């Protein structure tokens, strides 16, 4: 909820203070019981801050119209809301927030290439090799990209995380998710010609190469990618939505994707990328 600066009325200030006090009182009680996350700040500019008492956890910010709930982690109840001329509508809106942690995750894929093999991966394009616990892809003809995907699976609501290093930043590279087959998938990529491109696209194989057929990213920030540095890229998927991170910083998100699930992989238009420590867990 956002409150606007000095022009807000006295009633708005009272409402803001009431909500903030209610939130912090509830957050303190919740922290004692759940020992999961402690909300340490909630500011009028729309920023909520908490501290993490758990490792290997995935958090969701939930809202409710009353402190007793029910708690929601989706805006689906608030959109779409068909209107009728002259009608009056009433809906529950966010007044209280909490942070919930989920540690009950299933490991769907864990790959460290320690056995020197990529037997679980399909080399769709480019040249791929395994060495020293890492997977290296080199762009090659005829598609002039490098693309590899994990064994087919239909995963939904999952977290994909991998460490990736590029030798250059003239073109983009990143993660494949929600792959329907080796020709149709979603892609989260960074770098690019200016070194700080950030995209979430729907890709398809056509006329001898992969093309982005639709753009979906709402960019939060463009990460500056430096060659020769390891970056942790993460995609969290929930239904037809995706949230993309670089080194745990949210950089982009996308809603209403064409696919709700699929399998994962890597893709690059750079000459060379190296990938390691791939982990896919349930959300």
């Amino acid at each position: 909820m956002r409150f606007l600066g000095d022009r807000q009325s006295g009633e708005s200030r009272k409402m803001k203070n009431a909500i903030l006090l209610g939130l912090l009182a509830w957050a303190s009680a919740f922290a004692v019981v759940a020992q999961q996350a402690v909300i340490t700040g909630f500011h009028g500019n729309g920023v909520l801050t908490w501290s993490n008492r758990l490792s290997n956890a995935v958090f969701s910010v939930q809202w409710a119209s009353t402190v007793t709930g029910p708690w929601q982690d989706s805006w689906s109840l608030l959109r779409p809301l068909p209107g009728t001329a002259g009608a009056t509508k009433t809906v529950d809106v966010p007044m209280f927030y909490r942070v919930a942690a989920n540690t009950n995750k299933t490991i769907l894929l864990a790959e460290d290439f320690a056995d020197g093999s990529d037997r679980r991966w399909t080399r769709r394009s480019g040249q791929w090799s395994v060495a020293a616990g890492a997977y290296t892809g080199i762009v090659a003809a005829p598609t002039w990209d490098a693309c590899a995907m994990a064994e087919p699976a239909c995963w939904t609501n999952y977290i994909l995380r991998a460490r990736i290093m590029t030798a250059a930043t003239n073109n983009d590279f990143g993660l494949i998710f929600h792959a329907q087959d080796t020709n149709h998938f979603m892609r989260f990529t960074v770098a690019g010609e200016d070194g700080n491109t950030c995209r979430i696209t729907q890709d398809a194989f056509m006329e001898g190469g992969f093309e982005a057929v639709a753009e979906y990213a709402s960019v939060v920030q463009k990460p500056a990618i430096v060659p020769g540095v390891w970056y942790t890229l993460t995609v969290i998927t929930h239904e037809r939505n995706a949230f993309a991170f670089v080194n745990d910083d949210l950089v982009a998100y996308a809603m209403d994707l064409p696919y709700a699930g699929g399998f994962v992989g890597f893709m690059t238009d750079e000459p060379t990328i190296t990938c390691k420590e791939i982990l896919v867990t349930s959300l």
Side-chain angles (χ1 to χ4, degrees), residues 195-214:
N196 68 351
T197 295
C198 182
R199 305 173 69 193
I200 297 177
T201 59
Q202 177 188 359
D203 283 34
F205 188 84
M206 56 182 64
E207 298 181 358
F210 287 101
E211 298 289 342
V213 298

Side-chain angles (χ1 to χ4, degrees), residues 39-283:
I39 296 177
T40 58
F42 182 63
H43 310 290
N45 60 359
V47 176
L48 186 149
T49 306
W50 71 89
S51 61
N52 180 10
R53 294 190 180 186
L54 295 172
S55 61
N56 195 32
V58 176
F59 294 92
S60 62
V61 177
Q62 301 177 341
W63 64 268
S65 59
T66 69
V67 73
T68 56
W71 294 93
Q72 311 287 339
D73 59 5
S74 169
W75 294 93
S76 60
L77 295 179
L78 299 178
R79 61 178 176 91
L81 297 172
T84 302
T88 299
K89 284 186 174 293
T90 301
V91 297
D92 292 333
V93 296
M95 294 294 287
F96 296 90
Y97 296 83
R98 74 178 184 183
V99 180
N102 177 15
T103 58
N104 187 25
K105 300 187 297 295
T106 300
I107 296 178
L108 305 174
L109 173 67
E111 180 66 87
D112 58 8
F113 301 105
D115 60 357
S117 169
D118 66 345
R119 64 182 182 277
R120 291 191 293 186
W121 297 78
T122 298
R123 304 180 184 187
R124 178 61 179 84
S125 61
Q127 300 173 355
W128 291 86
S129 61
V130 177
Y135 201 30
T136 298
I138 300 175
V139 169
T143 60
W144 296 112
D145 54 43
C147 176
M149 302 182 194
E151 57 188 18
C154 187
W155 296 326
T156 59
N157 299 343
Y158 58 87
I159 305 167
L160 164 62
R161 182 186 296 263
R163 298 188 67 199
I164 304 180
M165 178 174 63
T166 181
T169 56
N170 295 323
N171 294 291
D172 53 5
F173 68 93
L175 302 174
I176 290 172
F177 66 100
H178 282 3
Q180 306 302 290
D181 51 46
T182 56
N183 291 331
H184 302 87
F185 49 79
M186 302 301 300
R187 174 165 53 148
F188 162 51
T189 50
V190 294
E193 294 182 359
D194 57 2
N196 68 351
T197 295
C198 182
R199 305 173 69 193
I200 297 177
T201 59
Q202 177 188 359
D203 283 34
F205 188 84
M206 56 182 64
E207 298 181 358
F210 287 101
E211 298 289 342
V213 298
E215 294 270 359
Y216 284 89
S218 294
V219 178
V220 177
Q221 58 181 311
K222 293 183 177 181
I225 304 298
V226 179
V229 175
W230 286 101
Y231 293 92
T232 300
L233 271 60
T234 304
V235 174
I236 298 177
T237 71
H238 181 256
E239 298 175 351
R240 293 182 181 270
N241 308 315
F243 305 86
F245 301 78
V246 175
N247 292 344
D248 294 329
D249 291 327
L250 178 67
V251 296
Y253 62 91
M255 304 295 182
D256 301 321
L257 299 176
Y259 311 133
F263 51 99
V264 303
F266 307 104
M267 187 172 180
T268 182
D269 294 322
E270 290 289 358
T272 305
I273 62 166
T274 303
C275 315
K276 65 179 182 180
E277 299 174 18
I278 299 97
L279 180 65
V280 183
T281 59
S282 62
L283 184 59

Side-chain angles (χ1 to χ4, degrees), residues 1 3 8-27 42 64-67 94-97:
M1 179 174 290
F3 295 87
Q8 62 187 353
S9 67
E11 291 301 319
S12 295
R13 291 192 183 95
K14 291 179 182 178
M15 180 181 292
K16 173 183 176 181
N17 292 335
I19 293 173
L20 180 57
L21 290 174
L23 170 69
L24 294 178
W26 173 87
F42 182 63
S65 59
T66 69
V67 73
M95 294 294 287
F96 296 90
Y97 296 83

